[in-house]
Amino acid sequence: MLVSDEYIIERVEIDERELDRDPAGVQLRYNQTEPGIIRDGVDGIAVIDESDEQYRVDFWGYAFGRLYVKSEGVEEIGQKLTSNDGEIPSWILDSETVNADDPPWWVPESVAIEPTVTCNNCTETVSAQEGLTPRNLPPSIDGPVVCQTCWDRQ
Ligand SMILES: [Zn+2]
């Protein structure tokens, strides 16, 4: 469930092809950190301001569609950014769609616009999007997070 029913103004049936490939608004991306796992949820969400009372939300992935929601619904979407699947944020803002100096009101203050993680193998700090938490890491690696480069070398 993307947004609680009580905050949904309208649910629009839409063909996947009708969704813009590059929608306007601020976008969130699901951050898949386990290589080889196929997820059946939503991979991307775009929040488009229509007015103070109404926002358009396009979402895509295995599930897709369009919602018109109240501001409380957008606040719920913002809360996803603080959901943390262990070491790495599960949802990340697409930094190209957001002004880091003036993020939207619904992004919680504690959220980094471009979060980073530290690789437990090479100790490099990388973008959270490059951080992986594979299930079967070799025991020589002292922690759950590896960067893409180290993983590719396995
Ligand atoms: Zn590394």
Side-chain angles (χ1 to χ4, degrees):
M1 178 63 65
L2 208 55
V3 174
S4 302
D5 280 342
E6 57 190 307
Y7 303 141
I8 296 175
I9 299 166
E10 194 187 348
R11 220 180 271 274
V12 182
E13 292 285 332
I14 191 167
D15 191 284
E16 194 173 10
R17 285 165 298 188
E18 289 176 61
L19 288 172
D20 297 337
R21 283 184 190 279
D22 192 16
V26 172
Q27 295 178 29
L28 281 72
R29 308 269 179 207
Y30 186 78
N31 193 32
Q32 171 69 281
T33 66
E34 278 201 45
I37 304 283
I38 294 175
R39 246 180 101 255
D40 62 359
V42 174
D43 295 328
I45 304 170
V47 176
I48 299 124
D49 290 21
E50 299 217 311
S51 71
D52 288 346
E53 290 89 44
Q54 179 166 300
Y55 296 79
R56 189 182 110 201
V57 175
D58 284 359
F59 58 96
W60 59 92
Y62 187 84
F64 58 87
R66 174 170 291 167
L67 301 172
Y68 290 94
V69 306
K70 300 178 188 173
S71 58
E72 291 92 335
V74 175
E75 215 164 350
E76 277 191 335
I77 290 172
Q79 293 300 326
K80 288 186 179 301
L81 294 165
T82 59
S83 69
N84 208 314
D85 204 2
E87 307 295 320
I88 304 182
S90 300
W91 286 90
I92 294 179
L93 286 163
D94 180 338
S95 58
E96 285 180 18
T97 68
V98 60
N99 176 359
D101 296 326
D102 186 22
W105 64 267
W106 48 267
V107 172
E109 259 178 51
S110 60
V111 168
I113 305 297
E114 296 190 65
T116 57
V117 292
T118 302
C119 174
N120 293 134
N121 188 45
C122 68
T123 70
E124 292 275 341
T125 299
V126 298
S127 151
Q129 276 156 296
E130 309 250 317
L132 297 170
T133 55
R135 284 211 182 139
N136 16 353
L137 272 183
S140 58
I141 296 176
D142 185 24
V145 178
V146 289
C147 69
Q148 187 78 53
T149 310
C150 288
W151 178 244
D152 290 345
R153 278 200 207 115
Q154 292 295 315

